[in-house]
Amino acid sequence: MHSCEEQTWKVGPLAEASGLTVRTLHHWDQIGLLPPSRRTASGHRAYTEHDLVRLYQILALRRLGLGLETIATCLDAGIDPRRLVREHLAATEASLTALHTLRERLEHLHTELAAERAPGTADLLRLVQAVGATAPAADEVLRRHLDDDQLHALADHAAALGPAAHYLLEVEWPQLYRRAEALRTAGTDPADPRVGRIAARLDELSRLFSGGDTTLSAAVRAAWREDPAALSGDPTTPADAWAPLHAFLDQAREVSR
């Protein structure tokens, strides 16, 4: 008789197959969210079919808008797989419907522009509504911490900045955080002027987008603490990355006061 040994996956191939990074899988192992069931003789991670089931559950729950801490609680309490798949399917169908609508409206707008016809107000409004229906994960995280009035205020402040808002929010802000994190992990003293300049610029950007509303700023910071990967646009950002970086920047602010 031949023994039937269970198939396992090393971290690299599993990361590639799942669209995640090795760093993310390592982090999920370290926080106990997805520890591999086995280790090779040399100590390398070896994921089993049971681990793949848990990985799917994690990814599905993230798609449904849950943070990693909540996901861990749900998995530890036990999940009905039929319910999870049903809810994931419903969310996927809703996303497909929204994307189909967006595609139709973009095609209509493209046709109008190709014919050198200016799109009407109604067409633009329908397009805006379709784009809003396909909001990215960052918007979902913000909605768990900001009410409608705060979301509108955030949008109004961003609109007031004009075209610069996109650069400030999508380019400069993440770059500042990456630079600060690089300094922190390198063991830089928070009193270093480089850290102080980054903290000061981050505070300036925060005032621009919040209009100086400290309650609004606090809500946005809470969203960053919950899911820094979604807010930064970098899915490899560990869930626990925000707290030490936030403390590092706060120390720099204290020095400059």
Side-chain angles (χ1 to χ4, degrees), residues 139-159:
D139 288 352
E140 296 174 3
V141 177
L142 285 173
R143 286 186 177 278
R144 291 200 288 272
H145 294 273
L146 280 69
D147 59 30
D148 287 341
D149 289 340
Q150 290 175 316
L151 287 168
H152 285 306
L154 202 61
D156 288 343
H157 294 313

PDB file of all heavy atoms in Angstrom, residues 139-159:
ATOM      1  N   ASP A 139     -12.957  53.611   0.914  1.00  0.00           N
ATOM      2  CA  ASP A 139     -14.221  54.276   1.215  1.00  0.00           C
ATOM      3  C   ASP A 139     -15.046  53.459   2.200  1.00  0.00           C
ATOM      4  O   ASP A 139     -15.716  54.011   3.083  1.00  0.00           O
ATOM      5  CB  ASP A 139     -15.023  54.504  -0.069  1.00  0.00           C
ATOM      6  CG  ASP A 139     -14.422  55.600  -0.946  1.00  0.00           C
ATOM      7  OD1 ASP A 139     -13.482  56.264  -0.458  1.00  0.00           O
ATOM      8  OD2 ASP A 139     -14.872  55.782  -2.071  1.00  0.00           O
ATOM      9  N   GLU A 140     -14.990  52.142   2.047  1.00  0.00           N
ATOM     10  CA  GLU A 140     -15.744  51.278   2.954  1.00  0.00           C
ATOM     11  C   GLU A 140     -15.231  51.419   4.381  1.00  0.00           C
ATOM     12  O   GLU A 140     -16.011  51.457   5.340  1.00  0.00           O
ATOM     13  CB  GLU A 140     -15.635  49.818   2.492  1.00  0.00           C
ATOM     14  CG  GLU A 140     -16.254  49.550   1.128  1.00  0.00           C
ATOM     15  CD  GLU A 140     -16.004  48.135   0.659  1.00  0.00           C
ATOM     16  OE1 GLU A 140     -15.394  47.354   1.420  1.00  0.00           O
ATOM     17  OE2 GLU A 140     -16.412  47.800  -0.473  1.00  0.00           O
ATOM     18  N   VAL A 141     -13.908  51.505   4.533  1.00  0.00           N
ATOM     19  CA  VAL A 141     -13.321  51.658   5.864  1.00  0.00           C
ATOM     20  C   VAL A 141     -13.708  53.006   6.455  1.00  0.00           C
ATOM     21  O   VAL A 141     -14.090  53.104   7.627  1.00  0.00           O
ATOM     22  CB  VAL A 141     -11.784  51.519   5.800  1.00  0.00           C
ATOM     23  CG1 VAL A 141     -11.173  51.763   7.174  1.00  0.00           C
ATOM     24  CG2 VAL A 141     -11.400  50.129   5.297  1.00  0.00           C
ATOM     25  N   LEU A 142     -13.633  54.060   5.652  1.00  0.00           N
ATOM     26  CA  LEU A 142     -13.984  55.401   6.140  1.00  0.00           C
ATOM     27  C   LEU A 142     -15.431  55.460   6.600  1.00  0.00           C
ATOM     28  O   LEU A 142     -15.749  56.102   7.607  1.00  0.00           O
ATOM     29  CB  LEU A 142     -13.737  56.440   5.045  1.00  0.00           C
ATOM     30  CG  LEU A 142     -12.277  56.812   4.778  1.00  0.00           C
ATOM     31  CD1 LEU A 142     -12.171  57.710   3.553  1.00  0.00           C
ATOM     32  CD2 LEU A 142     -11.651  57.493   5.984  1.00  0.00           C
ATOM     33  N   ARG A 143     -16.313  54.765   5.881  1.00  0.00           N
ATOM     34  CA  ARG A 143     -17.735  54.806   6.226  1.00  0.00           C
ATOM     35  C   ARG A 143     -18.026  54.146   7.571  1.00  0.00           C
ATOM     36  O   ARG A 143     -19.069  54.391   8.163  1.00  0.00           O
ATOM     37  CB  ARG A 143     -18.570  54.139   5.127  1.00  0.00           C
ATOM     38  CG  ARG A 143     -18.699  54.995   3.879  1.00  0.00           C
ATOM     39  CD  ARG A 143     -19.643  54.388   2.858  1.00  0.00           C
ATOM     40  NE  ARG A 143     -19.783  55.273   1.715  1.00  0.00           N
ATOM     41  CZ  ARG A 143     -20.596  56.313   1.671  1.00  0.00           C
ATOM     42  NH1 ARG A 143     -21.348  56.591   2.719  1.00  0.00           N
ATOM     43  NH2 ARG A 143     -20.663  57.069   0.611  1.00  0.00           N
ATOM     44  N   ARG A 144     -17.118  53.315   8.050  1.00  0.00           N
ATOM     45  CA  ARG A 144     -17.324  52.698   9.361  1.00  0.00           C
ATOM     46  C   ARG A 144     -16.944  53.649  10.492  1.00  0.00           C
ATOM     47  O   ARG A 144     -17.204  53.355  11.658  1.00  0.00           O
ATOM     48  CB  ARG A 144     -16.520  51.398   9.464  1.00  0.00           C
ATOM     49  CG  ARG A 144     -17.052  50.297   8.553  1.00  0.00           C
ATOM     50  CD  ARG A 144     -16.571  48.932   9.022  1.00  0.00           C
ATOM     51  NE  ARG A 144     -15.167  48.721   8.763  1.00  0.00           N
ATOM     52  CZ  ARG A 144     -14.680  48.220   7.621  1.00  0.00           C
ATOM     53  NH1 ARG A 144     -15.504  47.896   6.639  1.00  0.00           N
ATOM     54  NH2 ARG A 144     -13.381  48.044   7.455  1.00  0.00           N
ATOM     55  N   HIS A 145     -16.295  54.764  10.149  1.00  0.00           N
ATOM     56  CA  HIS A 145     -15.839  55.696  11.185  1.00  0.00           C
ATOM     57  C   HIS A 145     -16.391  57.105  11.016  1.00  0.00           C
ATOM     58  O   HIS A 145     -16.388  57.882  11.967  1.00  0.00           O
ATOM     59  CB  HIS A 145     -14.307  55.751  11.187  1.00  0.00           C
ATOM     60  CG  HIS A 145     -13.658  54.467  11.603  1.00  0.00           C
ATOM     61  ND1 HIS A 145     -13.412  54.152  12.927  1.00  0.00           N
ATOM     62  CD2 HIS A 145     -13.256  53.395  10.878  1.00  0.00           C
ATOM     63  CE1 HIS A 145     -12.866  52.953  12.990  1.00  0.00           C
ATOM     64  NE2 HIS A 145     -12.755  52.473  11.773  1.00  0.00           N
ATOM     65  N   LEU A 146     -16.863  57.447   9.822  1.00  0.00           N
ATOM     66  CA  LEU A 146     -17.381  58.781   9.562  1.00  0.00           C
ATOM     67  C   LEU A 146     -18.858  58.699   9.200  1.00  0.00           C
ATOM     68  O   LEU A 146     -19.277  57.798   8.455  1.00  0.00           O
ATOM     69  CB  LEU A 146     -16.620  59.448   8.409  1.00  0.00           C
ATOM     70  CG  LEU A 146     -15.251  60.070   8.706  1.00  0.00           C
ATOM     71  CD1 LEU A 146     -14.210  59.000   9.018  1.00  0.00           C
ATOM     72  CD2 LEU A 146     -14.777  60.908   7.519  1.00  0.00           C
ATOM     73  N   ASP A 147     -19.644  59.635   9.720  1.00  0.00           N
ATOM     74  CA  ASP A 147     -21.049  59.677   9.332  1.00  0.00           C
ATOM     75  C   ASP A 147     -21.171  60.422   8.002  1.00  0.00           C
ATOM     76  O   ASP A 147     -20.181  60.926   7.452  1.00  0.00           O
ATOM     77  CB  ASP A 147     -21.916  60.321  10.423  1.00  0.00           C
ATOM     78  CG  ASP A 147     -21.492  61.752  10.751  1.00  0.00           C
ATOM     79  OD1 ASP A 147     -20.979  62.458   9.860  1.00  0.00           O
ATOM     80  OD2 ASP A 147     -21.683  62.172  11.917  1.00  0.00           O
ATOM     81  N   ASP A 148     -22.408  60.507   7.480  1.00  0.00           N
ATOM     82  CA  ASP A 148     -22.609  61.122   6.162  1.00  0.00           C
ATOM     83  C   ASP A 148     -22.146  62.573   6.131  1.00  0.00           C
ATOM     84  O   ASP A 148     -21.549  63.030   5.150  1.00  0.00           O
ATOM     85  CB  ASP A 148     -24.083  61.039   5.757  1.00  0.00           C
ATOM     86  CG  ASP A 148     -24.499  59.623   5.363  1.00  0.00           C
ATOM     87  OD1 ASP A 148     -23.599  58.816   5.056  1.00  0.00           O
ATOM     88  OD2 ASP A 148     -25.699  59.333   5.377  1.00  0.00           O
ATOM     89  N   ASP A 149     -22.438  63.322   7.210  1.00  0.00           N
ATOM     90  CA  ASP A 149     -22.030  64.729   7.249  1.00  0.00           C
ATOM     91  C   ASP A 149     -20.509  64.858   7.188  1.00  0.00           C
ATOM     92  O   ASP A 149     -19.964  65.731   6.497  1.00  0.00           O
ATOM     93  CB  ASP A 149     -22.559  65.403   8.516  1.00  0.00           C
ATOM     94  CG  ASP A 149     -24.060  65.598   8.473  1.00  0.00           C
ATOM     95  OD1 ASP A 149     -24.626  65.564   7.360  1.00  0.00           O
ATOM     96  OD2 ASP A 149     -24.669  65.778   9.548  1.00  0.00           O
ATOM     97  N   GLN A 150     -19.812  63.990   7.909  1.00  0.00           N
ATOM     98  CA  GLN A 150     -18.349  64.042   7.916  1.00  0.00           C
ATOM     99  C   GLN A 150     -17.777  63.644   6.559  1.00  0.00           C
ATOM    100  O   GLN A 150     -16.804  64.243   6.084  1.00  0.00           O
ATOM    101  CB  GLN A 150     -17.792  63.132   9.012  1.00  0.00           C
ATOM    102  CG  GLN A 150     -18.046  63.635  10.423  1.00  0.00           C
ATOM    103  CD  GLN A 150     -17.591  62.647  11.467  1.00  0.00           C
ATOM    104  OE1 GLN A 150     -17.833  61.443  11.353  1.00  0.00           O
ATOM    105  NE2 GLN A 150     -16.934  63.139  12.517  1.00  0.00           N
ATOM    106  N   LEU A 151     -18.383  62.644   5.913  1.00  0.00           N
ATOM    107  CA  LEU A 151     -17.933  62.239   4.588  1.00  0.00           C
ATOM    108  C   LEU A 151     -18.114  63.363   3.580  1.00  0.00           C
ATOM    109  O   LEU A 151     -17.243  63.617   2.740  1.00  0.00           O
ATOM    110  CB  LEU A 151     -18.683  60.987   4.132  1.00  0.00           C
ATOM    111  CG  LEU A 151     -18.296  59.678   4.823  1.00  0.00           C
ATOM    112  CD1 LEU A 151     -19.295  58.580   4.493  1.00  0.00           C
ATOM    113  CD2 LEU A 151     -16.886  59.250   4.413  1.00  0.00           C
ATOM    114  N   HIS A 152     -19.258  64.049   3.681  1.00  0.00           N
ATOM    115  CA  HIS A 152     -19.504  65.179   2.780  1.00  0.00           C
ATOM    116  C   HIS A 152     -18.509  66.299   3.049  1.00  0.00           C
ATOM    117  O   HIS A 152     -18.008  66.935   2.111  1.00  0.00           O
ATOM    118  CB  HIS A 152     -20.935  65.692   2.953  1.00  0.00           C
ATOM    119  CG  HIS A 152     -21.975  64.812   2.319  1.00  0.00           C
ATOM    120  ND1 HIS A 152     -21.917  64.435   0.991  1.00  0.00           N
ATOM    121  CD2 HIS A 152     -23.097  64.234   2.818  1.00  0.00           C
ATOM    122  CE1 HIS A 152     -22.955  63.660   0.708  1.00  0.00           C
ATOM    123  NE2 HIS A 152     -23.678  63.524   1.795  1.00  0.00           N
ATOM    124  N   ALA A 153     -18.226  66.543   4.324  1.00  0.00           N
ATOM    125  CA  ALA A 153     -17.266  67.593   4.672  1.00  0.00           C
ATOM    126  C   ALA A 153     -15.883  67.259   4.120  1.00  0.00           C
ATOM    127  O   ALA A 153     -15.185  68.126   3.583  1.00  0.00           O
ATOM    128  CB  ALA A 153     -17.203  67.771   6.189  1.00  0.00           C
ATOM    129  N   LEU A 154     -15.498  65.982   4.241  1.00  0.00           N
ATOM    130  CA  LEU A 154     -14.199  65.545   3.725  1.00  0.00           C
ATOM    131  C   LEU A 154     -14.143  65.753   2.214  1.00  0.00           C
ATOM    132  O   LEU A 154     -13.140  66.247   1.677  1.00  0.00           O
ATOM    133  CB  LEU A 154     -13.996  64.071   4.071  1.00  0.00           C
ATOM    134  CG  LEU A 154     -12.561  63.535   4.114  1.00  0.00           C
ATOM    135  CD1 LEU A 154     -11.735  64.261   5.168  1.00  0.00           C
ATOM    136  CD2 LEU A 154     -12.579  62.035   4.408  1.00  0.00           C
ATOM    137  N   ALA A 155     -15.218  65.391   1.529  1.00  0.00           N
ATOM    138  CA  ALA A 155     -15.277  65.560   0.075  1.00  0.00           C
ATOM    139  C   ALA A 155     -15.248  67.035  -0.309  1.00  0.00           C
ATOM    140  O   ALA A 155     -14.600  67.416  -1.295  1.00  0.00           O
ATOM    141  CB  ALA A 155     -16.536  64.896  -0.472  1.00  0.00           C
ATOM    142  N   ASP A 156     -15.945  67.872   0.462  1.00  0.00           N
ATOM    143  CA  ASP A 156     -15.985  69.308   0.161  1.00  0.00           C
ATOM    144  C   ASP A 156     -14.594  69.937   0.305  1.00  0.00           C
ATOM    145  O   ASP A 156     -14.173  70.743  -0.526  1.00  0.00           O
ATOM    146  CB  ASP A 156     -16.970  70.022   1.085  1.00  0.00           C
ATOM    147  CG  ASP A 156     -18.425  69.703   0.755  1.00  0.00           C
ATOM    148  OD1 ASP A 156     -18.668  69.207  -0.358  1.00  0.00           O
ATOM    149  OD2 ASP A 156     -19.294  69.939   1.608  1.00  0.00           O
ATOM    150  N   HIS A 157     -13.897  69.550   1.368  1.00  0.00           N
ATOM    151  CA  HIS A 157     -12.551  70.100   1.570  1.00  0.00           C
ATOM    152  C   HIS A 157     -11.617  69.653   0.450  1.00  0.00           C
ATOM    153  O   HIS A 157     -10.775  70.440  -0.022  1.00  0.00           O
ATOM    154  CB  HIS A 157     -11.988  69.657   2.924  1.00  0.00           C
ATOM    155  CG  HIS A 157     -12.729  70.210   4.104  1.00  0.00           C
ATOM    156  ND1 HIS A 157     -13.061  71.543   4.202  1.00  0.00           N
ATOM    157  CD2 HIS A 157     -13.203  69.623   5.234  1.00  0.00           C
ATOM    158  CE1 HIS A 157     -13.708  71.754   5.344  1.00  0.00           C
ATOM    159  NE2 HIS A 157     -13.807  70.602   5.979  1.00  0.00           N
ATOM    160  N   ALA A 158     -11.757  68.385   0.026  1.00  0.00           N
ATOM    161  CA  ALA A 158     -10.917  67.881  -1.065  1.00  0.00           C
ATOM    162  C   ALA A 158     -11.240  68.616  -2.367  1.00  0.00           C
ATOM    163  O   ALA A 158     -10.335  68.986  -3.129  1.00  0.00           O
ATOM    164  CB  ALA A 158     -11.125  66.379  -1.234  1.00  0.00           C
ATOM    165  N   ALA A 159     -12.543  68.846  -2.615  1.00  0.00           N
ATOM    166  CA  ALA A 159     -12.955  69.546  -3.831  1.00  0.00           C
ATOM    167  C   ALA A 159     -12.413  70.972  -3.852  1.00  0.00           C
ATOM    168  O   ALA A 159     -12.049  71.497  -4.910  1.00  0.00           O
ATOM    169  CB  ALA A 159     -14.478  69.554  -3.933  1.00  0.00           C
TER     170      ALA A 159
END
